[in-house]
Amino acid sequence: MKKIIVAIDGYSACGKSSTAKAVASFLSYAYIDTGAMYRAVTLYFLDNYIDLTNPKSISTGLSNIEIDFHRNPKNNQNETFLNGLNVEKNIRDMRVSGKVSEVSTVREVRIAMVAQQQKMGKHKGIVMDGRDIGTVVFPQAELKIFMNADFDVRAERRQKELLKKGELIELDKIKENLAKRDHIDTTREESPLTKAKGGIEIDTTHLTFDEQVEQIIHLAQNEMIKT
């Protein structure tokens, strides 16, 4: 069977990343977390006081950013490296979460990240998740998935996810953050979040993790047979 591109888009806290990782592992495909890439850029911008209203500052900042993914042999998971440093934990905190959607609206940032992502998928055999994978990065992807879930369920999932990492955040604050991100993601001028043409929507509200992974694997295998 020929290799394909699996593009997974959707709202925050729908289980995109964890699902994409599991699908990639089953298919023996590379997994690319585009959300982590934008989070890494956001972390750099915050730490280096990059002014989002200053194009020159943004351009200079982007020219100094190098993002890589390396597999951690201890947990067999890809981890994000920013300019040679492991920032996997840093990019997941609320400081970055509260700013990443705003940084992602910047045209120069999206152009730079999309170029990197398309290069990563040149030889196919990848599972990539984000906000505009099926619409902008790989509109030609053989399988395009759009994940969604009930808002309250998403907030509770995000709270549990943060709690596992030792962060106790009030549910109301998480809901506020998700609502803000949803609004920015769906209304921005550059690559707004929307289901791609030909995409398949999966509502994960009442699905177990294994069920949503199995659905996408089944769809991917069917596409691999067709190709």
Side-chain angles (χ1 to χ4, degrees), residues 186-204:
T186 56
T187 61
R188 66 191 180 208
E189 291 186 16
E190 288 292 326
S191 311
L193 172 63
T194 185
K195 187 173 78 170
K197 183 178 180 181
I200 299 170
E201 184 164 356
I202 296 179
D203 189 322
T204 69

Side-chain angles (χ1 to χ4, degrees), residues 176-223:
E176 182 182 347
N177 174 256
L178 285 180
K180 178 184 175 182
R181 292 186 66 184
D182 287 353
H183 176 72
I184 294 175
D185 288 343
T186 56
T187 61
R188 66 191 180 208
E189 291 186 16
E190 288 292 326
S191 311
L193 172 63
T194 185
K195 187 173 78 170
K197 183 178 180 181
I200 299 170
E201 184 164 356
I202 296 179
D203 189 322
T204 69
T205 304
H206 303 295
L207 295 179
T208 65
F209 177 72
D210 288 342
E211 286 172 339
Q212 60 199 47
V213 170
E214 287 170 6
Q215 277 196 30
I216 298 175
I217 287 174
H218 177 70
L219 291 167
Q221 289 175 328
N222 284 343
E223 288 299 327

Side-chain angles (χ1 to χ4, degrees), residues 12 28 33 39 57 64 68-69 73 87 90 93 125 128 131 137 160 163-164 177 182 186 201 213-215:
S12 298
S28 296
D33 182 355
R39 283 175 173 271
S57 179
N64 291 322
D68 295 300
F69 294 97
V87 293
N90 307 66
D93 64 30
M128 186 176 287
R131 300 290 191 282
V137 184
K160 291 178 181 177
L163 191 57
K164 286 181 179 179
N177 174 256
D182 287 353
T186 56
E201 184 164 356
V213 170
E214 287 170 6
Q215 277 196 30

Side-chain angles (χ1 to χ4, degrees), residues 24-36:
S25 177
F26 183 89
L27 298 175
S28 296
Y29 276 18
Y31 165 64
I32 308 297
D33 182 355
T34 63

Side-chain angles (χ1 to χ4, degrees), residues 53-73:
T53 65
N54 186 330
K56 185 176 180 179
S57 179
I58 292 170
S59 178
T60 299
L62 288 171
S63 69
N64 291 322
I65 291 175
E66 183 176 336
I67 301 170
D68 295 300
F69 294 97
H70 299 288
R71 187 167 293 277
N72 185 332

Side-chain angles (χ1 to χ4, degrees), residues 3 19 24 28 34 36 42 47 151:
K3 291 183 178 181
T19 298
S28 296
T34 63
T42 301
D47 288 348
F151 181 80

